[in-house]
Amino acid sequence: MDIQFEAKISAKDLYRFNMRNAYTSVQGILSIICAALVAFVFIWKFDKLSAPYLVLFVILFVLFLVYIPASLWMKSKQVVKKSDVFKEPLGYSFSEEGILITSPTVSDDENVVLPWEDIFKVIKNKNYILIYTNRISAYIIPREQIADKEEEISKALLDKVEDFKLKGFNK
């Protein structure tokens, strides 16, 4: 097996990844529940709340539903803009030993070899294949950039990664 391709990560890609991580965690789920509760109480008690409480409820609602996504968007834009790794596409090479990830912005000594057994999990969703190296860090592969090789990549991942680590793949 020798599958090679490149993938360039944009601020939008990094933002979607960060939003997914933020809102599938316990903290993210709790923030959605809190926003729903704030909205419910605000609507239910609107006519009985004094002006300071009305302002407080609006601030809390905005904090939960607007601030977090907006801050993740700004952070994603800054990271992509400032990081040399995101300036050029990352190269991926699937082999029997694992995945070699290369970047033109780093020396050959700094390129990463990810053995198959060290993959924490792999998630395939509508837009991406996410290859996690731990609970929060992943290599983001936009599916639109690998359309011609996606079937080969999926087959390799199904063959080399343990089933319990795969999510979103047809087995």
Side-chain angles (χ1 to χ4, degrees):
M1 157 191 21
D2 188 36
I3 306 166
Q4 296 182 358
F5 61 93
E6 290 185 339
K8 184 163 176 39
I9 306 304
S10 67
K12 178 182 169 185
D13 298 325
L14 190 57
Y15 171 70
R16 283 183 172 174
F17 172 75
N18 286 332
M19 284 288 287
R20 182 189 188 290
N21 277 359
Y23 285 104
T24 56
S25 68
V26 172
Q27 179 183 358
I29 293 167
L30 287 176
S31 72
I32 291 169
I33 292 169
C34 288
L37 286 172
V38 167
F40 175 74
V41 171
F42 179 78
I43 293 167
W44 183 41
K45 296 287 186 177
F46 181 77
D47 57 342
K48 294 177 181 83
L49 292 173
S50 63
Y53 281 108
L54 287 172
V55 171
L56 176 65
F57 275 92
V58 169
I59 289 171
L60 286 172
F61 188 73
V62 167
L63 178 71
F64 284 120
L65 284 185
V66 177
Y67 174 74
I68 294 171
S71 66
L72 287 174
W73 173 248
M74 297 305 291
K75 181 181 173 187
S76 297
K77 280 179 60 174
Q78 286 178 337
V79 167
V80 168
K81 186 177 185 180
K82 291 181 179 181
S83 176
D84 289 340
V85 173
F86 294 113
K87 288 189 179 11
E88 300 291 330
L90 291 176
Y92 293 85
S93 180
F94 285 41
S95 69
E96 292 298 323
E97 293 76 38
I99 306 170
L100 172 65
I101 298 113
T102 59
S103 172
T105 59
V106 299
S107 70
D108 287 342
D109 295 343
E110 296 174 311
N111 288 325
V112 177
V113 176
L114 180 60
W116 295 113
E117 59 272 6
D118 288 355
I119 292 175
F120 184 76
K121 69 179 170 181
V122 182
I123 296 174
K124 183 177 179 180
N125 62 29
K126 183 175 100 174
N127 298 307
Y128 304 101
I129 294 176
L130 305 170
I131 302 173
Y132 281 83
T133 55
N134 58 42
R135 292 184 63 226
I136 57 173
S137 301
Y139 290 99
I140 305 165
I141 303 171
R143 288 178 67 185
E144 65 184 16
Q145 294 182 31
I146 59 161
D148 59 327
K149 295 195 180 236
E150 185 175 349
E151 193 174 315
E152 281 180 273
I153 293 165
S154 294
K155 185 178 178 333
L157 290 167
L158 283 165
D159 289 346
K160 295 295 183 180
V161 179
E162 293 132 320
D163 288 347
F164 73 93
K165 294 180 179 182
L166 298 169
K167 182 179 175 189
F169 289 83
N170 296 325
K171 296 173 182 138

